[in-house]
């Protein structure tokens, strides 16, 4: 006889199935494939909660929504990208810090505008209201204020969390890495800002992702533009967040949102439309300084003068070929106070990302076009944490590492490029049986000399198996031991790619391996 809880569970599951079936078969119900899949998923989840026939809980083996695992090949690609970025940050004199993965909730609230709803809150575990960090910039500002630091050039690479519904095929997740570079301190205008743009240029060039463009604007120019177009002060931030959608929506849809949802007059929206269509360089900044409306706004004039100065430094840094002054660039985060920028891939020729065709991605999206870096100046953020309101001017950039990873992975797959997942330089092998101890002695010598080496975990492995392991794993060299070699005091060194073999004296082996691997 079934126990009462089991009877109730079976009844619930049967009732749920019956209800779902009734909804699906009802003539008034028209359901999409996605909705049907969602209903099926709910049933499976309920079944897992109730347990199997034997009464044991059935675990669903999957990663949480918006997260993923990375296999060794993917991690090798990620490590290569990280090394490129870190070497660039260090080349520009940055030091690194780390901060907790969660912060006091009050530290994060009120810093991200409309995006604040995406902050992950944690359940109370120790008398404090906590949230997972949304980005690395606000924790950095908190760190500066708490430690009374007024000058630092730092980079920080760590995971951040956003409670949204991301498109994972587009390199967007709930848990993802950010790579931030920031310069804090009181310096002459636009010199640190120009260096941040130079860093973006260097990283994207070194990664060889394809053609790219770095859009530049200034929050003061945006605010000045909104003011002269007749946007009420209290609507600056909300209208700014709508303009920020121009890279994803048409102007008609953006205008509709500003007018219908946010209550802006059509006349003001049309005037904004005229300005946000403008793109150029230093010449556009000079032209806008002569604009009848813009020249009457002090904020806009200050921003335009700084854009002119910025472009003069960018010319010296030799990056103006990739930088464009774009009045449609808004960047929605509330803490930006001056120059803002965003790097976008412009080459429509990258391989389509996985599952894009099934997900209805446009041809432009499938080409991998999108934002891969962004940042700007945020002079007021540190002051929000300082008890006395002391400001520390800051400017920084964040590299969109997950999107870059997605593109690099797809490029590697499209080119059938073999990605090495280890850095082993030499395999210590044996040609005959009963040589395990000799192999272990030799591999220990190599490890002690700093050589990356490995040995098979079998007493008497076949030589062919050892050589095949090297070919499959891309190991360049094999050090082969045999009874004759041991008598002669030599090791047979084999080059895997050419199958060339040469006898090297045991005393010279380490130097020879280092010479050959350094040349490679």
């Amino acid at each position: 006889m079934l126990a009462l809880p089991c009877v109730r569970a079976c009844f619930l599951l049967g009732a749920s199935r019956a209800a779902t079936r009734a909804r699906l078969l009802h003539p008034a119900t028209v359901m999409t494939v996605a909705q049907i899949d969602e209903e099926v998923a709910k049933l499976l989840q309920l079944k897992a909660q109730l347990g199997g026939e034997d009464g044991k809980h059935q675990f669903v083996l999957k990663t949480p929504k918006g997260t993923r695992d990375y296999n060794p090949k993917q991690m090798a690609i990620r490590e290569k990208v990280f090394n490129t970025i870190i070497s660039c940050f260090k080349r520009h004199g940055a030091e690194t810090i780390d901060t907790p993965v969660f912060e006091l909730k009050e530290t994060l609230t009120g810093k991200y505008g409309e995006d604040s709803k995406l902050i992950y809150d944690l359940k109370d575990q120790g008398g404090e209201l906590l949230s997972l960090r949304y980005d690395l910039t606000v924790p950095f500002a908190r760190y500066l204020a708490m430690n009374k630091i007024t000058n630092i050039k730092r980079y920080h690479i760590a995971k951040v969390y956003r409670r949204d519904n991301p498109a994972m095929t587009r390199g967007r997740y709930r848990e993802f890495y950010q790579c931030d570079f920031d310069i804090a301190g009181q310096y002459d205008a636009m010199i640190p800002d120009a260096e941040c743009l130079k860093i973006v240029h260097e990283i994207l060039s070194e990664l060889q992702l394809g053609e790219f463009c770095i859009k530049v604007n200034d929050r003061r120019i945006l605010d000045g533009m909104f003011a002269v177009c007749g946007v009420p002060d209290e609507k600056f931030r909300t209208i700014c967040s709508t303009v920020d959608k121009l890279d994803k929506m048409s102007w008609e849809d953006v205008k509709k949102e500003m007018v219908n949802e946010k209550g802006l007059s059509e006349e003001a929206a049309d005037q904004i439309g005229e300005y946000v269509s403008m793109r150029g360089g230093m010449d556009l900044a000079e032209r806008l300084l002569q604009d009848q409306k813009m020249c009457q706004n002090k904020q806009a004039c200050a921003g335009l003068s700084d854009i002119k100065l910025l472009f003069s430094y960018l010319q010296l840094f030799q990056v103006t070929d990739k930088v464009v002054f774009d009045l449609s660039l808004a960047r929605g985060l509330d803490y930006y106070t001056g120059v803002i920028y965003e790097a976008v891939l412009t080459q429509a020729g990258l391989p389509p990302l996985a599952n894009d065709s099934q997900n209805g991605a446009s041809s432009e999206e499938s080409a991998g076009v999108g934002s891969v870096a962004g940042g700007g100046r945020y002079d007021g953020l540190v002051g929000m944490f300082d008890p006395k309101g002391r400001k520390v001017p800051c400017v920084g950039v964040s590299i969109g590492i997950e999107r870059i990873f997605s593109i690099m992975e797809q490029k590697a797959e499209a080119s059938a490029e073999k990605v090495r997942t280890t850095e082993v330089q030499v395999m210590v092998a044996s040609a005959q049986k009963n040589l395990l101890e000799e192999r272990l002695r030799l591999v220990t010598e190599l490890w002690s000399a700093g050589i990356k080496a490995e040995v098979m975990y079998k007493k008497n492995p076949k030589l062919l198996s050892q050589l095949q392991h090297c070919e499959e794993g891309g190991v360049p060299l094999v050090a082969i031991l045999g009874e004759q070699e041991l008598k002669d005091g030599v090791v047979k060194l084999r080059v895997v790619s050419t199958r060339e073999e040469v006898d090297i004296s045991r005393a010279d082996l380490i130097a020879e391996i280092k010479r050959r691997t350094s040349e490679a």
Side-chain angles (χ1 to χ4, degrees):
M1 192 172 170
L2 284 172
L4 258 172
C6 290
V7 172
R8 185 171 179 273
C10 292
F11 173 76
L12 281 172
L13 184 56
S16 180
R17 279 180 174 152
T20 302
R21 181 179 172 79
R23 281 204 307 277
L24 296 181
L25 296 178
H26 194 281
T29 303
V30 179
M31 299 189 76
T32 65
V33 173
Q35 287 171 319
I36 292 170
D37 288 344
E38 189 178 344
E39 293 292 342
V40 172
K42 285 177 183 175
L43 281 175
L44 291 172
Q45 190 175 11
L46 180 59
K47 184 179 178 183
Q49 288 170 352
L50 295 175
E53 290 179 6
D54 58 358
K56 291 180 182 176
H57 180 71
Q58 300 294 309
F59 287 101
V60 179
L61 285 175
K62 64 184 284 292
T63 59
K65 184 180 178 182
T67 66
R68 63 179 286 200
D69 294 322
Y70 295 91
N71 63 40
K73 183 178 175 182
Q74 291 166 329
M75 287 304 297
I77 294 170
R78 289 166 78 85
E79 197 170 58
K80 183 180 176 184
V81 175
F82 276 138
N83 288 341
T84 299
I85 292 170
I86 291 169
S87 66
C88 179
F89 289 164
K90 288 183 175 180
R91 185 163 62 243
H92 285 264
E95 50 197 344
T96 189
I97 67 164
D98 196 12
T99 61
V101 74
F102 47 83
E103 296 275 351
L104 294 178
K105 184 176 179 179
E106 63 188 90
T107 300
L108 304 182
T109 50
K111 313 298 189 302
Y112 302 106
E114 293 185 5
D115 285 345
S116 288
K117 61 182 181 290
L118 303 181
I119 293 172
Y120 258 116
D121 292 334
L122 300 178
K123 285 190 175 179
D124 175 32
Q125 294 291 330
E128 294 178 325
L129 292 175
L130 305 173
S131 300
L132 292 176
R133 60 187 172 203
Y134 178 90
D135 67 2
L136 300 179
T137 307
V138 170
F140 174 56
R142 189 266 308 152
Y143 172 85
L144 295 181
M146 198 171 115
N147 293 285
K148 297 181 172 55
I149 296 169
T150 55
N151 293 76
I152 190 173
K153 186 191 291 186
R154 82 88 172 87
Y155 74 89
H156 189 185
I157 297 178
K159 286 183 176 180
V160 298
Y161 300 85
R162 302 201 177 166
R163 190 178 52 83
D164 60 359
N165 292 303
M168 288 176 64
T169 55
R170 303 298 313 146
R172 296 178 68 87
Y173 304 92
R174 286 180 162 190
E175 175 195 66
F176 57 95
Y177 273 99
Q178 279 191 345
C179 297
D180 281 18
F181 173 96
D182 293 83
I183 302 171
Q186 190 73 52
Y187 302 108
D188 288 340
M190 296 297 106
I191 301 174
D193 310 64
E195 186 171 10
C196 286
L197 292 171
K198 172 66 173 171
I199 285 167
V200 174
H201 187 281
E202 284 182 12
I203 289 171
L204 296 184
S205 299
E206 284 183 54
L207 291 175
Q208 298 180 343
L209 298 172
E211 289 299 314
F212 63 90
C213 163
I214 306 172
K215 299 177 183 179
V216 176
N217 200 2
D218 194 298
R219 262 295 168 81
R220 293 166 297 173
I221 297 172
L222 279 167
D223 286 350
M225 175 183 76
F226 294 147
V228 301
C229 290
V231 178
D233 289 0
E234 67 275 9
K235 290 190 176 178
F236 277 17
R237 290 284 77 88
T238 187
I239 295 299
C240 187
S241 69
T242 302
V243 170
D244 191 41
K245 297 175 184 176
L246 272 169
D247 61 336
K248 305 178 190 75
M249 293 163 52
S250 67
W251 165 248
E252 289 72 24
D253 290 335
V254 167
K255 179 184 173 182
K256 198 178 293 181
E257 183 177 311
M258 287 194 291
V259 175
N260 297 346
E261 294 179 28
K262 302 196 172 175
L264 193 66
S265 69
E266 282 213 30
E267 184 187 354
D270 287 334
Q271 288 184 54
I272 290 171
E274 289 177 24
Y275 282 114
V276 297
S277 64
M278 295 181 181
R279 287 165 187 76
M282 190 187 291
D283 57 327
L284 176 58
E286 289 171 342
R287 200 163 78 244
L288 286 169
L289 280 167
Q290 306 302 316
D291 183 270
Q292 274 191 326
K293 290 180 181 175
M294 294 288 265
C295 70
Q296 293 174 12
N297 186 280
K298 285 184 179 180
Q299 265 196 310
C301 286
L304 289 164
S305 298
D306 275 351
I307 288 288
K308 271 184 67 179
L309 184 60
L310 176 68
F311 269 87
S312 70
Y313 294 138
L314 294 177
Q315 284 176 344
L316 296 171
F317 284 150
Q318 300 176 358
V319 296
T320 48
D321 60 316
K322 299 290 187 185
V323 183
V324 60
F325 175 27
D326 186 336
L327 266 75
S328 71
L329 178 65
R331 293 196 63 79
L333 297 177
D334 269 9
Y335 52 62
Y336 288 123
T337 58
V339 167
I340 50 176
Y341 34 81
E342 186 169 87
V344 179
L345 294 185
T346 58
Q347 181 189 25
L350 294 169
L353 298 183
N355 302 323
D356 271 354
S357 56
Q358 293 94 319
N359 294 335
S362 69
S363 58
E364 183 183 51
E365 284 179 325
S366 295
V369 179
S371 170
V372 288
R377 177 161 285 281
Y378 51 102
D379 289 348
L381 192 55
V382 178
M384 292 173 74
F385 296 110
D386 191 283
K388 296 183 179 177
R390 288 170 293 206
K391 291 186 178 181
V392 178
C394 296
V395 64
V397 64
S398 183
I399 307 298
I401 200 74
E402 300 296 345
R403 180 162 284 181
I404 289 173
F405 287 148
S406 295
I407 294 166
M408 297 284 279
E409 284 173 27
Q410 295 301 317
K411 285 183 79 173
E413 283 180 27
S415 66
E417 172 191 344
K418 189 162 185 176
V419 178
R420 282 200 68 189
T421 57
T422 75
E423 295 182 8
V424 175
Q425 297 165 305
V426 58
M427 157 76 80
V428 176
S430 57
Q432 284 110 18
K433 292 183 177 181
N434 303 318
L435 292 174
L436 174 62
E437 290 183 7
E438 294 299 333
R439 283 189 291 133
L440 296 181
R441 281 194 189 95
L442 180 54
V443 80
T444 303
E445 286 178 31
L446 299 180
W447 288 335
S448 298
I451 291 170
K452 296 164 185 168
E454 67 175 348
V455 65
M456 274 202 160
Y457 305 132
K458 283 190 175 182
K459 285 185 177 180
N460 299 307
K462 292 179 181 177
L463 181 59
L464 183 60
S465 300
Q466 296 169 92
L467 297 178
Q468 280 179 337
H469 174 82
C470 293
E471 288 188 3
E472 289 167 6
V475 180
L477 298 172
V478 190
I480 304 171
L481 291 171
E483 290 173 4
Q484 190 60 47
E485 283 80 11
L486 289 170
K487 285 178 187 174
D488 297 341
V490 299
V491 174
K492 197 177 289 296
L493 197 61
R494 178 187 173 99
V495 179
V496 175
S497 58
T498 64
R499 301 189 178 180
E500 165 208 349
E501 292 182 349
V502 58
D503 286 344
I504 306 292
S505 73
R506 189 74 172 254
D508 297 332
L509 181 64
I510 288 170
E512 182 64 19
I513 290 172
K514 286 185 174 179
R515 182 184 70 80
R516 286 175 180 261
T517 51
S518 66
E519 286 173 1

